[in-house]
C-alpha cells in the first residue's frame, strides 16, 4: 500500500513535469511562429516601394534606419527610388510607426546585413544565395513563398535547389 | 450631304475604335510631351515607335538598358536586375494598366531614366518609347 502510493506520486510527478515541458514547448513554438508573421498594411508603401522589391515588413528595422533610408531615396542602394514629397512623408510615417527598435540595423542600412538576419540565415549555403532563382538576398520570395504578405513563417519556406 | 455625313460618322467611329484598341495613354499627357519635344527641337516630326524600340534596347552609358529589367519583349513579364522582383509586362496590349496614369509614368521615368541614362529623359525619348510600347500587339 505504502509502496503503491509512492509509485503513484512518482507517476504524477513525471506526468506533470512532462505536460509542463510539452506546454512550454508549445508556447515557445507559438511565439516563434508568430514572430515571423509581420504586418505590411500601407497602400502607399506597397505601391511606391513594392515595385522593385518585396515591401519589407517595417518591423524588420528600427525607426532611425527607416528615416535614413527614406531620406536617401535618390541613391537607394545603387538605384533612383525617389518619390514625391507627399508620398515620402506618408511612407516614412508608416515605416517609423511600425518599426521595431530591437532590430538594430547594420551601418549599410541593408536589412540583409543586420546581425539578426545573418543569424537567421546562417544555415543557408553560399551557393544557394547565388542560384539564378535567388539572385539576391533582397529576393525574399525566392524562399519565403508568402513574403509578399509579410509571412516569413517556417511553414512557408521552400529553398530552391 | 447625307452621304458625306455617313462617311464622316464612319471615319469618326473607326478612329474611336482604333484608338480604343490601342492603349489609353492620356491624350493631354501625350500632347504636352509633343509640345515640349517641338519646343526643344523645331524640326520635330512626331514620335517614332521604331526609334523607341532601338532606344529601349540600347544602353546609354550605364550597365542597364530598359530591356535589362523589362526584357526585349515588353509583352512579357520582366525581372528587376538587382532584386529579382518580377515586373509585370510593360506593353499595354499585355497589361492594360500600363501607361494610363501620367503621375505614375513620370515617377517611373524619373527613377528609371536616372538609372539607365544617368539623366532625365527628354520629352522626345518619352514619346518615342510610349509609341513603341503602344505599337506592340499581343
Amino acid at each position: 500500500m505504502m509502496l503503491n502510493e509512492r509509485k503513484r506520486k512518482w507517476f504524477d510527478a513525471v506526468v506533470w513535469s512532462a505536460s509542463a515541458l510539452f506546454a512550454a514547448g508549445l508556447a515557445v513554438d507559438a511565439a516563434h511562429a508568430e514572430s515571423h508573421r509581420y504586418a505590411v498594411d500601407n497602400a502607399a508603401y506597397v505601391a511606391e516601394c513594392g515595385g522593385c522589391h518585396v515591401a519589407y515588413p517595417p518591423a524588420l528595422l528600427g525607426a532611425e534606419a527607416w528615416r535614413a533610408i527614406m531620406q536617401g531615396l535618390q541613391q537607394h542602394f545603387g538605384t533612383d527610388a525617389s518619390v514625391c514629397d507627399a508620398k515620402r512623408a506618408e511612407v516614412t510615417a508608416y515605416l517609423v510607426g511600425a518599426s521595431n527598435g530591437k532590430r538594430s540595423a547594420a551601418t549599410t542600412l541593408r536589412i540583409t546585413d543586420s546581425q539578426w538576419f545573418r543569424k537567421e540565415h546562417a544555415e543557408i549555403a553560399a551557393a544557394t544565395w547565388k542560384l539564378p532563382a535567388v539572385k539576391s538576398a533582397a529576393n525574399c520570395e525566392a524562399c519565403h513563398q508568402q513574403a509578399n504578405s509579410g509571412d516569413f513563417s517556417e511553414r512557408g519556406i521552400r529553398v530552391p535547389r | 450631304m447625307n452621304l458625306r455625313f455617313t462617311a464622316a460618322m464612319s471615319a469618326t467611329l473607326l478612329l474611336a475604335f482604333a484608338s480604343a484598341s490601342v492603349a489609353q495613354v492620356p491624350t493631354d499627357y501625350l500632347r504636352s510631351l509633343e509640345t515640349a519635344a517641338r519646343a526643344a527641337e523645331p524640326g520635330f516630326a512626331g514620335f517614332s515607335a521604331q526609334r523607341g524600340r532601338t532606344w529601349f534596347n540600347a544602353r546609354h552609358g550605364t550597365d542597364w538598358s530598359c530591356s535589362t529589367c523589362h526584357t526585349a519583349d515588353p509583352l512579357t513579364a520582366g525581372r528587376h536586375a538587382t532584386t529579382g522582383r518580377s515586373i509585370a509586362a510593360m506593353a499595354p496590349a499585355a497589361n492594360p494598366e500600363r501607361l494610363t496614369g501620367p503621375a505614375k509614368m513620370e515617377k517611373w521615368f524619373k527613377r528609371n531614366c536616372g538609372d539607365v541614362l544617368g539623366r532625365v529623359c527628354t520629352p522626345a525619348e518619352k514619346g518615342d518609347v510610349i509609341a513603341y510600347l503602344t505599337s506592340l500587339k499581343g
Side-chain angles (χ1 to χ4, degrees), chain A residues 2-35:
Chain A
M2 194 70 170
L3 194 71
N4 268 347
E5 186 145 341
R6 241 184 177 168
K7 262 189 189 162
R8 199 172 57 83
K9 273 187 178 158
W10 263 108
F11 181 75
D12 279 357
V14 168
V15 169
W16 276 110
S17 310
S19 311
L21 274 172
F22 182 69
L26 277 184
V28 168
D29 263 4
H32 197 243
E34 200 178 340
S35 71

Side-chain angles (χ1 to χ4, degrees), chain A residues 110-126:
Chain A
R110 282 183 196 276
I111 293 171
T112 52
D113 282 343
S114 44
Q115 265 183 343
W116 69 262
F117 182 95
R118 289 176 176 236
K119 202 168 145 197
E120 288 280 351
H121 297 85
E123 72 217 62
I124 305 299

Side-chain angles (χ1 to χ4, degrees), chain B residues 16-33:
Chain B
F17 180 75
S19 57
S21 66
V22 191
Q24 306 285 318
V25 184
T27 41
D28 285 359
Y29 178 62
L30 274 182
R31 212 168 292 145
S32 73
L33 285 181

